[in-house]
Amino acid sequence: MIKSNIALIGFMGTGKTTIGKLVAKKLGKKFIEMDEYISRIAGKSIPDIFHEDGEIKFRELEIQACKQLSKNIDSVISCGGGIILNKINLDYLSTSSIIICLNASPNIIYQRTMKDGKEKRPLLSNPNPMKSINDLLNFRRPLYERATKFQIDTSSLSIEECADAVINLYRNATSGEK
Ligand code: S3P
């Protein structure tokens, strides 16, 4: 089966949403933001899910989202940064998507996520978000590396260059598919 979706994975602040929107526009695909989907299903914001129901509940909703969104065709899916924590998410996504991981340095991640406001991301909403970024990255780096062979460092590329790099990887990965 042709994999007509692109699933963008990677740590918070690596550019999945911004780059995903541009990739979708360039390829004429639908853009889907996984956190928005989860928020709609739960009827509350991501911070409210974390605070009221806990991270485990959020991770369950994330698994359901990966399962449902994998049924889409012709979409660019911007995934939450933690989907690599449950391997089943990658199993669902890889049925219909080429999975591409975006990376960035801790400093760039810090700058980008703090620009959004740290209260938007429960895992960084504490007095020392830089430490949280480093701790989480140290734990997760091998998981992102293992998740896919398609990796892009977005630290010093423009949005346009990142989008084109994603499109190239996607085209190369699907060129032999029937
Ligand atoms: C998370 C990343 C967030 C969001 C939630 C948890 C994570 O998504 O799903 O706050 O565990 O890395 P973004 O990567 O889109 O910020």
Side-chain angles (χ1 to χ4, degrees):
M1 191 182 85
I2 290 186
K3 296 188 179 185
S4 67
N5 298 324
I6 298 174
L8 291 180
I9 69 166
F11 200 76
M12 298 170 268
T14 49
K16 291 164 294 186
T17 301
T18 316
I19 294 159
K21 281 184 181 160
L22 183 56
V23 170
K25 193 170 156 207
K26 283 180 175 234
L27 294 180
K29 292 183 185 285
K30 184 177 174 198
F31 176 75
I32 300 168
E33 164 73 51
M34 190 175 286
D35 277 350
E36 271 174 21
Y37 175 87
I38 292 173
S39 193
R40 212 167 41 240
I41 298 290
K44 52 178 113 171
S45 70
I46 303 296
D48 283 352
I49 299 172
F50 269 76
H51 295 136
E52 293 168 18
D53 311 317
E55 181 173 350
I56 302 279
K57 177 66 188 175
F58 174 76
R59 298 298 171 204
E60 281 173 17
L61 292 169
E62 208 167 41
I63 292 172
Q64 290 312 311
C66 287
K67 185 176 181 183
Q68 288 307 319
L69 295 178
S70 295
K71 295 178 185 162
N72 278 43
I73 53 164
D74 271 328
S75 303
V76 177
I77 308 167
S78 167
C79 301
I83 65 136
I84 37 81
L85 297 172
N86 287 299
K87 187 184 168 288
I88 194 164
N89 291 334
L90 296 163
D91 292 342
Y92 283 134
L93 290 168
S94 61
T95 59
S96 61
S97 313
I98 299 296
I99 299 174
I100 298 176
C101 183
L102 305 182
N103 301 303
S105 67
N107 280 334
I108 295 280
I109 288 172
Y110 180 78
Q111 285 167 29
R112 289 183 187 158
T113 52
M114 291 307 109
K115 217 161 78 187
D116 292 343
K118 66 179 178 183
E119 63 293 338
K120 267 195 67 183
R121 292 183 170 94
L123 298 178
L124 304 183
S125 188
N126 63 58
N128 195 347
M130 189 67 205
K131 182 177 182 320
S132 303
I133 289 170
N134 278 315
D135 290 349
L136 286 167
L137 263 179
N138 285 341
F139 177 74
R140 291 183 181 181
R141 208 172 268 121
L143 302 177
Y144 290 122
E145 276 168 15
R146 214 175 298 149
T148 173
K149 61 182 173 187
F150 302 120
Q151 306 273 341
I152 299 171
D153 190 339
T154 68
S155 303
S156 54
L157 296 179
S158 68
I159 295 166
E160 189 81 28
E161 286 170 329
C162 291
D164 290 342
V166 168
I167 291 169
N168 278 339
L169 285 180
Y170 173 71
R171 290 211 169 117
N172 288 340
T174 51
S175 63
E177 287 189 4
K178 288 247 164 51

